[in-house]
Amino acid sequence: VMMFHPDVAMVAHDYSNTLCNHIRRSKLYTSDLRQLMDISEDSIICALPLESRCAVSQPALQACYKAVRHDPRRFHDIAGLEAEVGSGKCWLSYDPAAAQVVRVVLVVVMKLVRKDNSICMRVGEWFPEEKRLEKKRSQLPGTKLRPGEMPRQALERLLATEFAGGVVKITGDGDERIETVPSE
């Protein structure tokens, strides 16, 4: 099968390498992974190289184009979605329960708590060139995962960029959960 479908072979190769790297970092020794480790297929797919993430999204993207083929206005929306997939901003999946295509964006969020139990929240964005602060709704600091990046790497990048020079001690392995949120 792989010989006749090189695109499938590429995705399978990248997926297995990414999964093995994920397992190696978690230092597991057994083959019964699901019992000892919560493996999120979404985080594995997100860590795939961009080309493989795009290939994984192709069936869902084709279904989107097929669904709007008689509506030229919606065709433009799907082209925009394809550009997002191609840039690595998201990947597409299919939710069989809802019978619809799902746009998947993985985000790492951290809850920073001081010794006095105060919680760090992002309440705005600073624009230094304009010397102004734009207020936003309160949220925990976070960042989107980049293609090929694992959640821990995204967390380290977030700390290096948002809290450069600060002393932040990370305790525990973190908590991974999936939330479905409509796009804003």
Side-chain angles (χ1 to χ4, degrees):
V1 171
M2 300 296 183
M3 185 169 56
F4 297 110
H5 300 283
D7 52 336
V8 174
M10 175 194 68
V11 172
H13 176 265
D14 288 343
Y15 189 93
S16 61
N17 282 342
T18 303
L19 180 60
C20 288
N21 288 336
H22 189 66
I23 293 166
R24 192 175 311 115
R25 286 187 198 118
S26 61
K27 298 182 175 101
L28 289 178
Y29 304 107
T30 181
S31 62
D32 194 3
L33 298 175
R34 289 204 182 266
Q35 186 176 8
L36 297 176
M37 178 176 142
D38 288 331
I39 295 181
S40 164
E41 182 179 40
D42 290 334
S43 64
I44 298 298
I45 291 174
C46 189
L48 289 174
L50 182 58
E51 188 176 358
S52 290
R53 284 177 63 183
C54 290
V56 167
S57 298
Q58 277 306 307
L61 197 54
Q62 289 169 356
C64 289
Y65 275 119
K66 186 177 178 181
V68 302
R69 69 180 173 265
H70 300 297
D71 186 351
R73 293 170 294 157
R74 303 274 326 271
F75 193 84
H76 183 266
D77 295 338
I78 304 306
L81 184 60
E82 183 174 20
E84 281 192 18
V85 169
S87 71
K89 288 183 179 180
C90 66
W91 66 277
L92 302 178
S93 183
Y94 180 75
D95 180 356
Q100 65 184 16
V101 170
V102 178
R103 178 180 173 266
V104 181
V105 177
L106 290 183
V107 178
V108 169
V109 178
M110 65 180 166
K111 184 177 181 181
L112 292 174
V113 182
R114 284 194 328 199
K115 290 180 181 179
D116 66 357
N117 288 328
S118 295
I119 298 174
C120 176
M121 300 292 286
R122 183 179 286 159
V123 294
E125 185 174 353
W126 175 250
F127 294 92
E129 63 282 350
E130 301 166 21
K131 295 184 179 173
R132 72 176 176 89
L133 176 67
E134 183 177 306
K135 290 184 180 180
K136 297 192 175 198
R137 65 179 174 88
S138 297
Q139 61 185 30
L140 295 170
T143 186
K144 293 179 183 177
L145 269 75
R146 295 176 178 167
E149 191 174 52
M150 296 300 289
R152 184 66 178 210
Q153 292 168 312
L155 175 63
E156 291 167 1
R157 179 173 50 80
L158 176 66
L159 288 170
T161 57
E162 298 288 325
F163 300 94
V167 179
V168 178
K169 181 180 176 185
I170 300 174
T171 58
D173 292 331
D175 179 28
E176 187 172 319
R177 66 177 186 255
I178 297 174
E179 291 182 12
T180 303
V181 181
S183 294
E184 294 179 355

